[in-house]
Amino acid sequence: MEFKNLSLLELRDLINSGKTTSKSIYDYFLERSTKYNPELNAYNTLPSEKNPDNGWNGNVGLGLPIGVKDLFCEKWIRTTASSLMLENFVSPYESTVTDRMKKAGFISFWKTNLDEFAMGGSGENSAFGPTKNPWDPSRIPGGSSSGSAAVVAAGLVPAALGTDTGGSIRQPASMCGVVGFKPGYGRNSRSGVIAMASSLDCPGYFTRTVRDAGLLYEITAGADPMDMTSLTKDTKIDEKIWEKKDLSGIKIGVPKEYFIDGIDLGVRHEIEATIETCRALGATIVDVSLPHTEYGISVYYIICPAEVSSNMGRYDGIRYGHVADGSFNIAKNREEGLGSEVQRRSLVGSYVLSSGFYDAYYKKASAVRELIRDDFTQAFREVDVLLTPTAPTVAWKIWEKWSDPLALYLEDIFTIPASLAGLPGLVVPVGFASPKDDASLELPVGIQIIGPVLGEEKCLLVGNVIEQALKEKIGSKHPKIW
Ligand code: GLN
């Protein structure tokens, strides 16, 4: 039986109706993952044994496998952050998100590749080599959750966990043609997730359907005493949203600042066509303005490195981490153990926090962050959700932009503002567009649905209706590796 095209809920139905077993499903995905991983380089570590357990009755997860970004600590499992610094680090404890996922009966499929410490948007920054996009293995899958997006897109696993600090779930979801969901800041606990920028980091999901994203959200999200920034508001999703077939009564904002020059025409066309589909489905479309959008990238690339420089301080090779030829030379341990992007951000971060520059950079950026947040607050007085492109382009060639960090940072232009404001963001595949360098190729495009604070359910509702409306169009194409 083929399982690669099925959602978690469809797989669960097959098990519950006795048509297959958890063990067959697990072994099927392990076999596919083992077969295709050499081509995709999407996993850092794979389980080596077939699932010995067939007794998964009762629990929602039913033993279904979930890929886990190699940034979530799992007890006694190697957790590397795709860094040489942590190449041999075996975590002594478990992250809250993976713990909740496992208690619900899902099985970790171990560790997917990423940009080192989640710094990047292409997957190229991994110490273990770049992950390939299943739609065209000569291209990037997006990042930093590169492996998690690729394994779901290629049908190597039905769902995967990722993290999103400035777009790391949404952008690769768009580029790999899968659903990507970043709940708002504080909805998923950060406990046990290796920190990048602590005021921005959000765990979330890659799935085949919006409904699966909702299922995982209800399981892993919610208050956690181990993370004092986690929110207490409950995370229950009203079941009725899954029955909605149209968007009557829903107000959708379209921010003009997200439709700028520089966005590929093919991408723009797919996003605008989807907005028209929403109108036809009964939504009221409202033009809105988020006037401080243009400062998003500058603000993010000050605040993020500032927090990175602080979070990276612990990797010195003394308590743990890479040790250069048995020495206690911290500088050398770090120089050898950390990749160039991590070093760049640590340096920039130390600079913007240093006395004399703190006011000019970090303090100013924090003030502008509030203006960006206020823009959204204003917009959400009028509308339920915002619809925007996720990234200005489709997937580009591996190494094409790697030597130009600024070009890479610009790719984050549409995902960063919602991160700075701590808002939920859902990406749903809506079409295909050709890259500039190959008119014969069609690559996935996803739309971004941004919701207000605590507005996860609204994102899921709108995303589910869009997904149903475009099911045939999206289902008509498959990745090369499939
Ligand atoms: N691409 C962004 C960056 O490099 C976002 C990364 C992320 O969300 N982890 O910072």
Side-chain angles (χ1 to χ4, degrees):
M1 210 187 268
E2 281 279 38
F3 299 125
K4 65 185 179 192
N5 208 12
L6 302 180
S7 67
L8 290 171
L9 285 173
E10 286 166 334
L11 291 167
R12 206 171 77 175
D13 285 347
L14 283 183
I15 300 169
N16 284 337
S17 62
K19 295 201 176 93
T20 187
T21 61
S22 313
K23 178 171 165 51
S24 313
I25 292 174
Y26 185 95
D27 291 348
Y28 168 90
F29 283 115
L30 182 57
E31 207 169 290
R32 270 184 75 75
S33 293
T34 311
K35 179 169 169 201
Y36 290 113
N37 194 42
E39 251 172 291
L40 289 173
N41 197 31
Y43 292 103
N44 290 340
T45 322
L46 257 175
S48 51
E49 284 170 24
K50 295 201 166 186
N51 180 9
D53 198 339
N54 202 8
W56 292 93
N57 292 321
N59 268 341
V60 256
L62 288 172
L64 294 173
I66 309 266
V68 176
K69 186 177 186 177
D70 201 359
L71 198 67
F72 288 85
C73 288
E74 290 181 89
K75 196 168 180 175
W76 307 138
I77 295 179
R78 186 174 81 124
T79 301
T80 70
S82 284
S83 178
L84 288 182
M85 182 55 90
L86 295 180
E87 192 178 9
N88 300 311
F89 175 67
V90 176
S91 172
Y93 68 107
E94 185 83 24
S95 84
T96 299
V97 169
T98 51
D99 187 46
R100 289 181 179 172
M101 179 190 96
K102 290 171 190 176
K103 287 197 172 123
F106 292 100
I107 303 184
S108 162
F109 223 48
W110 293 9
K111 304 298 208 169
T112 59
N113 204 351
L114 64 146
D115 283 296
E116 184 176 4
F117 285 104
M119 294 176 211
S122 65
E124 296 158 303
N125 289 341
S126 167
F128 309 128
T131 300
K132 319 282 167 59
N133 189 321
W135 290 83
D136 173 2
S138 72
R139 289 171 192 273
I140 57 113
S144 67
S145 309
S146 49
S148 289
V151 292
V152 177
L156 305 191
V157 83
L161 297 180
T163 62
D164 188 313
T165 302
S168 278
I169 289 175
R170 291 162 288 158
Q171 184 252 25
S174 177
M175 297 200 169
C176 287
V178 296
V179 171
F181 184 36
K182 164 196 122 73
Y185 182 79
R187 295 302 249 166
N188 262 319
S189 168
R190 289 178 295 109
S191 174
V193 182
I194 294 176
M196 176 191 178
S198 304
S199 78
L200 295 153
D201 293 344
C202 295
Y205 327 94
F206 293 89
T207 51
R208 315 204 73 79
T209 64
V210 172
R211 195 160 178 182
D212 275 1
L215 172 80
L216 292 176
Y217 168 72
E218 284 194 277
I219 287 167
T220 69
D224 175 20
M226 300 292 283
D227 176 359
M228 66 182 183
T229 61
S230 68
L231 304 177
T232 49
K233 181 95 172 29
D234 86 276
T235 54
K236 188 90 198 78
I237 301 289
D238 183 351
E239 281 292 311
K240 285 200 216 82
I241 70 162
W242 308 120
E243 280 146 35
K244 216 160 151 37
K245 299 270 177 290
D246 62 29
L247 293 171
S248 55
I250 304 286
K251 279 194 181 163
I252 291 178
V254 178
K256 64 168 189 263
E257 291 80 5
Y258 283 65
F259 293 83
I260 44 168
D261 295 345
I263 158 168
D264 276 4
L265 284 180
V267 171
R268 187 177 179 143
H269 174 266
E270 292 301 308
I271 301 302
E272 288 177 343
T274 308
I275 293 169
E276 285 317 308
T277 303
C278 292
R279 199 196 298 275
L281 286 163
T284 307
I285 309 292
V286 184
D287 289 330
V288 298
S289 174
L290 302 168
H292 298 93
T293 300
E294 64 173 305
Y295 304 113
I297 291 190
S298 316
V299 167
Y300 176 87
Y301 281 101
I302 291 171
I303 291 176
C304 169
E307 295 183 17
V308 161
S309 75
S310 156
N311 277 327
M312 289 298 128
R314 70 193 66 161
Y315 304 108
D316 53 17
I318 303 293
R319 286 158 297 181
Y320 50 84
H322 174 80
V323 182
D325 52 38
S327 76
F328 283 101
N329 183 339
I330 293 175
K332 194 145 186 254
N333 294 346
R334 286 170 66 83
E335 190 188 319
E336 283 186 13
L338 300 174
S340 58
E341 183 60 23
V342 179
Q343 295 196 24
R344 182 180 299 120
R345 290 197 199 196
S346 301
L347 279 173
V348 170
S350 308
Y351 179 80
V352 299
L353 288 174
S354 59
S355 67
F357 295 106
Y358 177 90
D359 282 359
Y361 292 105
Y362 185 77
K363 206 169 156 197
K364 186 66 103 358
S366 301
V368 180
R369 181 179 188 176
E370 289 312 309
L371 297 176
I372 291 171
R373 211 193 290 268
D374 289 348
D375 281 357
F376 282 109
T377 309
Q378 284 290 347
F380 285 121
R381 292 212 172 100
E382 258 192 280
V383 299
D384 296 299
V385 294
L386 298 166
L387 286 188
T388 80
T390 310
T393 64
V394 290
W396 58 90
K397 289 267 187 198
I398 293 174
W399 307 127
E400 186 184 324
K401 300 187 186 188
W402 193 69
S403 54
D404 185 355
L406 269 183
L408 278 168
Y409 295 172
L410 281 172
E411 287 285 332
D412 302 332
I413 187 161
F414 300 139
T415 47
I416 275 176
S419 296
L420 290 168
L423 304 174
L426 172 68
V427 167
V428 179
V430 291
F432 303 90
S434 301
K436 280 206 174 96
D437 56 340
D438 187 349
S440 66
L441 195 62
E442 288 197 293
L443 296 169
V445 174
I447 200 164
Q448 176 175 225
I449 306 163
I450 303 174
V453 174
L454 304 180
E456 283 79 7
E457 188 176 284
K458 286 186 178 173
C459 295
L460 294 167
L461 183 162
V462 174
N464 185 55
V465 174
I466 293 177
E467 179 180 82
Q468 300 312 315
L470 300 177
K471 210 169 189 160
E472 256 174 53
K473 175 181 176 187
I474 298 304
S476 67
K477 291 191 175 56
H478 290 296
K480 273 189 196 145
I481 298 187
W482 175 241

